[in-house]
Amino acid sequence: MRKEKMAAGGSGVGAGTTYSMGLNLLLLVAMVATNILSLYHLSSSHRLFSSPTSPPLPLSSSSDQAPEHLLRQLHTIRATISHLSHLHTHPSDTSSSSSPPPPPELLLLSRLSAISSACASHPTLLRQYMNYTPFSPCPSSSSSLAESLLLRGCHPLPRRRCFSLIPTSNPSSLSNTQDPNFFSVRSTLDLSVPQLLRLARISGAAPINLALDVAGGSGSLAAALRRASNTTVLTTTLNLGHPFSQTAASRGFVPLHSPLQSRFPVQDGVLDLVRTGHAVNRWIPIPVLEFLVYDVDRVLRPGGLLWIDHFFCKGVDLDPVYKPLVSRLGYRTIKWAVGDKTDAGGVKNREVYLTALLQKPFAA
């Protein structure tokens, strides 16, 4: 057996050597042919211009150009040399390693509905996400693959024919409780629901019938506003499978998954209030924040309110970076409070909190 393997290995080496010698020979022949044609062209041009019996030709005459068939031959030979040189440098390219075929589920879905172009820009992740056994539980890696695709703009995610993994925890523990943060005020950074409703009446923004809570967590604001003013609140989460989503659902709210890179699933100019929660902070790139605040402007009605709740950033960046970002909206400032972020991370990075309540201009 060992002798057979050695013989096979020897034949492989011999074949590789023969292939390399053949390439070298072809390169040599092509280079010689190019040189011969170049010498022929130069000698012909020299005889043409140095003949004593021929009158001098103007430089613009077509006679000083190389014959068309000669140029075509030179071009062909040079292209051949380039191709042979590439094969000589990358011999493995001769056996083109084609990518594996797409999963059958991806092929089937692509025939039924359009797939986001951003998904197609990441074929490896897309194929991993769509590589599953139909009519069975979805793979355990589904959440991480889905997050990776969403962060790259693949939204909405392609549909699949598998059973999603259901959280086993019981989310009903908070379903009947109230978040004290929305009913009490501990510092100027806090804005309670009663304060919010009073400021809305003073500013002419009342009533608040429909609101959007970005990164709304367990739906505490939605519960507080429903109890205080019978407001309908759409609660969005930024991450898939967040346990707070189950809590929001147990409270009777629809937890929408809305990545920061995508438009809010809301029509233009229909909301009375948009709040951004703690998850909207300095870790989000500036361009993403800009698109976010202008999408807020899109969905707010004239006179609607933007509530920036405990946004945190480095203190040195607040005035030169984030304040102009908000000011460009041209909103009226109802509340603007800044305070130190006193936890370990805030002290280490010299971070500050910003809470602001801004009003979109009324229609002229």
Side-chain angles (χ1 to χ4, degrees):
M1 176 67 72
R2 180 176 298 177
K3 290 182 180 180
E4 291 177 358
K5 290 183 177 179
M6 292 178 63
S11 63
V13 172
T17 304
T18 304
Y19 176 75
S20 179
M21 291 177 62
L23 280 179
N24 290 333
L25 182 60
L26 285 173
L27 282 171
L28 179 61
V29 171
M31 292 175 67
V32 169
T34 303
N35 290 333
I36 292 174
L37 284 172
S38 299
L39 287 174
Y40 169 74
H41 171 54
L42 290 173
S43 61
S44 300
S45 301
H46 178 72
R47 288 195 301 270
L48 177 64
F49 288 102
S50 62
S51 175
T53 59
S54 302
L57 296 175
L59 291 178
S60 60
S61 172
S62 61
S63 301
D64 61 347
Q65 302 295 325
E68 186 66 27
H69 70 280
L70 185 59
L71 290 176
R72 285 199 300 269
Q73 292 175 3
L74 283 172
H75 178 74
T76 301
I77 293 175
R78 286 170 180 166
T80 304
I81 291 176
S82 176
H83 179 64
L84 291 174
S85 300
H86 179 75
L87 291 178
H88 184 68
T89 308
H90 308 282
S92 61
D93 289 355
T94 55
S95 58
S96 58
S97 56
S98 58
S99 58
E105 289 294 292
L106 180 57
L107 290 175
L108 175 61
L109 181 66
S110 64
R111 291 196 294 267
L112 298 175
S113 63
I115 296 177
S116 172
S117 59
C119 300
S121 300
H122 305 280
T124 302
L125 285 173
L126 180 61
R127 291 180 179 189
Q128 291 174 354
Y129 180 73
M130 294 300 294
N131 190 13
Y132 63 92
T133 302
F135 318 117
S136 301
C138 298
S140 58
S141 60
S142 292
S143 295
S144 59
L145 289 171
E147 286 290 349
S148 298
L149 284 168
L150 288 168
L151 289 174
R152 290 163 174 80
C154 178
H155 186 267
L157 288 170
R159 283 180 167 174
R160 299 192 299 180
R161 297 185 297 172
C162 60
F163 296 102
S164 297
L165 303 177
I166 305 299
T168 56
S169 59
N170 182 12
S172 60
S173 58
L174 293 177
S175 59
N176 296 317
T177 62
Q178 293 184 158
D179 190 336
N181 292 332
F182 293 114
F183 286 95
S184 62
V185 176
R186 292 171 296 180
S187 73
T188 57
L189 293 169
D190 295 330
L191 183 61
S192 67
V193 166
Q195 283 181 329
L196 171 68
L197 296 177
R198 181 175 60 84
L199 292 173
R201 287 193 299 270
I202 295 173
S203 63
I208 298 178
N209 295 318
L210 188 60
L212 173 66
D213 194 7
V214 181
S218 59
S220 295
L221 176 65
L225 280 174
R226 180 174 63 182
R227 179 174 181 175
S229 59
N230 199 28
T231 301
T232 300
V233 180
L234 305 175
T235 301
T236 70
T237 58
L238 306 182
N239 300 320
L240 281 175
H242 200 291
F244 283 167
S245 300
Q246 306 298 319
T247 303
S250 70
R251 286 173 154 178
F253 306 113
V254 179
L256 300 174
H257 176 241
S258 179
L260 286 175
Q261 295 88 343
S262 63
R263 279 166 53 108
F264 296 127
V266 180
Q267 292 284 0
D268 297 1
V270 295
L271 299 182
D272 304 305
L273 170 72
V274 175
R275 170 187 173 264
T276 60
H278 298 190
V280 179
N281 53 59
R282 74 176 181 92
W283 293 109
I284 298 174
I286 298 298
V288 178
L289 281 176
E290 290 176 338
F291 281 107
L292 171 68
V293 297
Y294 280 92
D295 205 30
V296 168
D297 180 77
R298 177 184 67 83
V299 298
L300 275 178
R301 63 166 173 81
L305 300 176
L306 166 59
W307 177 8
I308 301 173
D309 191 7
H310 282 76
F311 173 89
F312 69 85
C313 65
K314 290 185 176 181
V316 296
D317 294 333
L318 180 60
D319 286 338
V321 177
Y322 296 104
K323 188 175 182 179
L325 188 153
V326 176
S327 298
R328 279 194 290 268
L329 291 173
Y331 284 14
R332 174 193 170 203
T333 301
I334 299 175
K335 177 183 177 70
W336 187 277
V338 179
D340 293 332
K341 190 171 182 285
T342 56
D343 60 4
V347 173
K348 177 182 177 181
N349 297 310
R350 298 181 179 179
E351 294 171 332
V352 296
Y353 277 124
L354 166 66
T355 292
L357 186 63
L358 309 170
Q359 185 175 30
K360 181 176 180 177
F362 288 93

